[in-house]
């Protein structure tokens, strides 16, 4: 069937749009405001963030950008946002100018290929900073890493639900996991995670694009779920079925105010609350 000229032109316009991202820059020195903004913007489709002492920068594919939604956020938190368009081919250059390694004590360093390894860290994770949410800078990733430090991964079967760039899955393998199944429904995150597995010479991590159905029918010793409140609640019962008796699930992507609701929903599903850690108003909860 021949395509109409109008359809072809529309298709080309869409492809051109997909080559661009919107950058929204918020001027604030308040770390708490920055963290809350990230949570709200992530729900609007913003999928990557970086910050300095005076600004938070958030990024979203141009076709997904809704100016009215952004305006509602700026009005709610009384901040101003400057909006600019970034060509996709300039993205890596932008990241390399701002990207710094992330250190979680002397336990783990998350760095890009253009950084030198840190000999003081026990575990070294290499990622390619691209347009996906999960460079290790966000508080929830660091909280998950800190909680993982307390678990025994040796020979364990691990499910990383919403793996992002694959940082946690890679760390699970480095900590001795026997098998890691990682999934993310975002195509760019999946592709970036696959690339990062190669950088880290991962042999025991399998990553796929999709949702919880990719976990299969077998149970897991450890589940890593750094997503957000809505997805955690939506799949709480399914995650309980996937967790072996005596296993551990870590849940993050949560603000402090989310704790009562998540603990309540987890209890209804049959989970037993174990512990909580907090950083910059974000929390990571551990259940069995």
């Amino acid at each position: 069937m021949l395509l109409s000229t109008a359809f072809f032109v529309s298709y080309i316009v869409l492809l051109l749009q997909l080559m661009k991202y919107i950058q929204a820059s918020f001027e604030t020195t308040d770390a708490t405001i920055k963290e809350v903004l990230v949570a709200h913007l992530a729900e609007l489709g913003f999928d990557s963030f970086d910050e300095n002492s005076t600004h938070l920068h958030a990024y979203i594919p141009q076709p997904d950008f809704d100016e009215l939604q952004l305006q509602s956020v700026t009005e709610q938190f009384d901040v101003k946002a400057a909006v600019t368009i970034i060509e996709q081919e300039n993205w890596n250059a932008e990241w390399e100018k701002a990207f710094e390694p992330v250190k979680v004590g002397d336990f783990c360093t998350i760095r890009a290929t253009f950084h030198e390894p840190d000999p003081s860290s026990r575990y070294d994770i290499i990622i390619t900073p691209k347009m996906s949410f999960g460079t290790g800078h966000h508080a929830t990733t660091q909280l998950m890493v800190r909680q993982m430090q307390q678990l025994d991964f040796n020979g364990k079967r691990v499910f990383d639900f919403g793996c992002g760039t694959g940082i946690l899955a890679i760390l699970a393998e480095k900590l001795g996991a026997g098998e890691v199944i990682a999934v993310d429904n975002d195509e760019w995150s999946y592709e970036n995670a696959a690339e990062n597995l190669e950088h880290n010479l991962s042999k025991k991590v399998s990553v796929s694009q999709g949702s919880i159905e990719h976990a299969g029918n077998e149970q897991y010793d450890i589940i890593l779920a750094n997503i957000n409140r809505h997805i955690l609640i939506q799949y709480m019962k399914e995650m309980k079925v996937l967790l072996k008796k005596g296993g551990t699930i870590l849940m993050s992507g949560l603000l402090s105010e989310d704790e009562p609701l998540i603990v309540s929903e987890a209890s209804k599903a049959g989970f037993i609350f174990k512990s909580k850690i907090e950083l910059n108003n974000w929390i990571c909860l551990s259940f069995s």
Side-chain angles (χ1 to χ4, degrees):
M1 180 177 66
L2 295 176
L3 298 177
S4 69
T5 302
F7 179 90
F8 184 76
V9 171
S10 298
Y11 180 70
I12 294 300
V13 170
L14 177 60
L15 288 179
L16 290 174
Q17 287 179 325
L18 289 172
M19 294 175 65
K20 299 177 181 178
Y21 262 70
I22 295 292
Q23 178 194 63
S25 297
F26 302 84
E27 185 174 357
T28 177
T29 59
D30 189 320
T32 300
I33 290 293
K34 290 177 184 176
E35 296 287 353
V36 175
L37 281 172
V38 168
H40 284 268
L41 293 169
E43 294 188 356
L44 298 183
F46 285 82
D47 59 12
S48 190
F49 305 87
D50 66 69
E51 64 178 272
N52 54 38
S53 60
T54 60
H55 287 81
L56 169 71
H57 305 295
Y59 304 88
I60 186 172
Q62 190 177 38
D64 297 338
F65 177 62
D66 187 317
E67 187 174 359
L68 291 179
Q69 287 184 331
L70 177 63
Q71 183 179 343
S72 70
V73 172
T74 59
E75 291 175 351
Q76 180 179 352
F77 296 100
D78 193 25
V79 294
K80 295 181 179 180
V83 176
T84 55
I85 298 175
I86 295 181
E87 301 291 340
Q88 193 181 68
E89 61 264 25
N90 295 333
W91 175 246
N92 282 348
E94 290 294 320
W95 259 120
E96 289 193 17
K97 286 191 292 186
F99 186 82
E100 293 294 334
V102 177
K103 279 186 63 67
V104 181
D106 62 357
F107 176 64
C108 176
T109 295
I110 303 163
R111 64 181 178 90
T113 54
F114 47 85
H115 295 132
E116 292 297 320
D118 185 341
S120 67
S121 287
R122 290 170 55 194
Y123 298 99
D124 181 51
I125 297 177
I126 304 170
I127 68 169
T128 301
K130 288 187 175 179
M131 195 66 80
S132 49
F133 181 51
T135 59
H137 289 82
H138 195 261
T140 60
T141 307
Q142 297 179 47
L143 287 170
M144 291 288 286
V145 170
R146 284 168 52 188
Q147 286 280 54
M148 289 173 69
Q149 186 176 2
Q150 308 305 316
L151 298 179
D152 177 11
F153 280 83
N154 284 320
K156 301 297 175 61
R157 195 163 190 262
V158 179
F159 179 49
D160 186 358
F161 185 25
C163 65
T165 53
I167 290 173
L168 302 181
I170 292 166
L171 178 58
E173 179 180 4
K174 291 178 180 288
L175 289 171
E179 179 185 13
V180 184
I181 305 298
V183 301
D184 200 291
N185 64 1
D186 178 72
E187 181 179 3
W188 202 302
S189 293
Y190 157 68
E191 292 176 353
N192 196 190
E195 184 175 353
N196 291 333
L197 293 181
E198 293 183 7
H199 285 312
N200 292 273
L201 305 178
S202 296
K203 303 297 183 185
K204 298 180 179 179
V205 181
S206 173
V207 63
S208 60
Q209 184 181 351
S211 188
I212 200 164
E213 69 275 2
H214 287 266
N217 297 319
E218 295 187 46
Q219 291 186 307
Y220 295 83
D221 301 289
I222 298 172
I223 298 177
L224 309 172
N226 183 20
I227 315 177
N228 62 54
R229 181 186 66 187
H230 304 296
I231 300 299
L232 290 173
I233 292 174
Q234 179 181 352
Y235 291 106
M236 193 70 73
K237 293 179 181 179
E238 288 86 348
M239 292 189 296
K240 181 65 175 71
V241 171
L242 288 173
L243 187 66
K244 285 183 180 179
K245 185 177 181 179
T248 298
I249 180 170
L250 303 180
M251 302 184 196
S252 195
L254 302 167
L255 292 165
S256 297
E257 63 228 45
D258 297 324
E259 181 183 352
L261 177 60
I262 293 297
V263 171
S264 174
E265 293 297 319
S267 178
K268 291 177 186 177
F271 287 113
I272 299 173
F273 176 71
K274 294 172 63 179
S275 65
K276 176 190 79 171
I277 58 174
E278 184 170 354
L279 176 64
N280 297 333
N281 203 42
W282 293 89
I283 58 174
C284 179
L285 304 176
S286 174
F287 298 87
S288 61

